[in-house]
Amino acid sequence: MTQRIGFGVLSQLVGVDVVELNDIAAHISEHYRTHVIREGDKKRPLSIPSARLKKVQRLILRAVLNRIPSHPASHCAPRRSILTNARYHIGNKYLTTLDIENAFPSARSHRVRPAVTRGLARVGLNKAIADPITKLCCYKDQLPQGAPTSSKLLDLVFYPVDASVAREAKRHGIRYTRYVDDFCISAGRGVGFFVRIVGMELGRFGFRLKHAKRRDYTPGRRATVTGLVLAKRPVLRLDYVKAVRAAVEGHAKGERLLTAIELACLRGRIGWIKTVHPKVGVRLAARING
């Protein structure tokens, strides 16, 4: 009964027939395909939703999920970005970046559903839609990398983590931010002790740090935060821009034609560059679209 009510309410919010929503949810595995992209020497599998499912997920994102505010420490949110995330740490002499181990796969359905429920309660929306949202936005019992809703849902899952870590950071006089699955902590003194606190807080919520990706920056080493080099203002790493430019030129000249999915990923990287260096981003976008 509750499930039927949930799909009915969600149908009204997103403007999609309830029969359509139920049909997609009942055959969710048929609406994904796996695509592997290369990132240097590494391979990253993406679960790509069908056009039909992606349309529904985008409607859910716009009509429901984006109405739920992220924690102030999260910079993967409207009017926040990698740029605002990096700017927050400028001026601090000591900085450490941390990565969460398998963040999206670790965000299982049993974590997503209550996170959505809590978020809906904060903005006064019907909590019955948490179940259909979870069914329509999870795949193989986890958040799929490739779905437009996954980053926002991860944000909701990490809301209590952000609240807990931010509270501890304030107590110790440390600046703390998170961008998707990247943590950043900084201060005018060493912050190594606080890494242990972050690890313990993550453990309380069923997550863990990927210690191999920890990076410590001291006054003698220029810090890099989510791909941005911290100077008087954040700037993109030169090697990143060069790699994107090489991919754009290779495709534009027909030397290394990209698939539709690879093009979509490349456009995402160009959009990232455009956020920090608008003129460079515009030129790259014009080249890839030309």
Side-chain angles (χ1 to χ4, degrees):
M1 180 69 175
T2 303
Q3 182 174 311
R4 190 161 65 245
I5 292 171
F7 272 97
V9 174
L10 185 62
S11 170
Q12 293 177 347
L13 286 169
V14 301
V16 178
D17 188 81
V18 69
V19 175
E20 169 85 349
L21 294 180
N22 272 290
D23 182 64
I24 293 174
H27 304 92
I28 197 72
S29 61
E30 298 174 13
H31 288 275
Y32 280 95
R33 61 190 175 91
T34 300
H35 179 82
V36 178
I37 62 170
R38 293 182 178 274
E39 295 181 337
D41 296 329
K42 298 179 181 179
K43 295 180 180 179
R44 183 160 66 99
L46 297 179
S47 296
I48 309 297
S50 66
R52 184 181 171 198
L53 174 56
K54 186 178 286 187
K55 179 182 177 181
V56 169
Q57 289 173 337
R58 283 175 173 159
L59 289 170
I60 290 172
L61 184 63
R62 288 199 298 266
V64 180
L65 298 179
N66 279 345
R67 293 168 65 177
I68 304 172
S70 301
H71 189 276
S74 169
H75 285 255
C76 186
R79 292 179 296 280
R80 288 176 240 167
S81 65
I82 57 166
L83 204 52
T84 61
N85 181 68
R87 282 173 180 159
Y88 190 67
H89 297 278
I90 288 178
N92 276 349
K93 294 180 179 179
Y94 295 85
L95 182 145
T96 292
T97 59
L98 305 163
D99 193 87
I100 301 165
E101 183 85 43
N102 297 320
F104 286 94
S106 296
R108 316 291 287 188
S109 298
H110 73 272
R111 290 188 174 116
V112 174
R113 190 176 288 105
V116 174
T117 301
R118 290 191 298 268
L120 293 169
R122 292 205 308 271
V123 293
L125 289 173
N126 194 322
K127 292 185 286 185
I129 64 175
D131 187 64
I133 287 175
T134 303
K135 284 183 167 66
L136 289 163
C137 298
C138 285
Y139 174 54
K140 293 184 177 179
D141 194 38
Q142 64 189 43
L143 289 179
Q145 294 188 62
T149 44
S150 288
S151 289
K152 178 62 181 183
L153 288 171
L154 188 70
D155 225 34
L156 298 182
V157 169
F158 273 105
Y159 192 97
V161 179
D162 287 334
S164 181
V165 176
R167 188 165 51 249
E168 286 297 310
K170 184 177 180 180
R171 192 162 72 87
H172 289 281
I174 286 173
R175 292 181 184 178
Y176 159 71
T177 60
R178 179 180 58 81
Y179 186 83
V180 191
D181 58 350
D182 294 319
F183 282 6
C184 187
I185 54 178
S186 69
R189 58 192 171 106
V191 294
F193 76 96
F194 197 74
V195 174
R196 293 189 293 276
I197 294 176
V198 173
M200 288 189 293
E201 292 301 315
L202 273 174
R204 287 179 54 220
F205 295 97
F207 296 92
R208 60 183 181 180
L209 291 173
K210 189 172 185 178
H211 291 285
K213 293 196 71 173
R214 172 180 170 177
R215 298 291 181 270
D216 296 299
Y217 300 95
T218 59
R221 184 185 178 198
R222 180 161 285 182
T224 300
V225 178
T226 51
L228 297 179
V229 179
L230 295 192
K232 290 183 179 179
R233 64 182 180 86
V235 293
L236 276 168
R237 293 196 331 263
L238 187 59
D239 61 332
Y240 182 87
V241 178
K242 283 183 175 179
V244 172
R245 183 177 283 116
V248 168
E249 290 301 319
H251 181 78
K253 294 176 180 178
E255 296 169 354
R256 204 288 194 186
L257 293 176
L258 303 176
T259 66
I261 293 174
E262 288 171 333
L263 270 174
C265 291
L266 184 59
R267 288 192 175 100
R269 294 187 179 103
I270 292 171
W272 196 33
I273 291 173
K274 193 175 178 181
T275 301
V276 186
H277 302 298
K279 290 182 180 179
V280 176
V282 167
R283 285 197 296 269
L284 289 172
R287 183 68 171 144
I288 199 72
N289 295 326

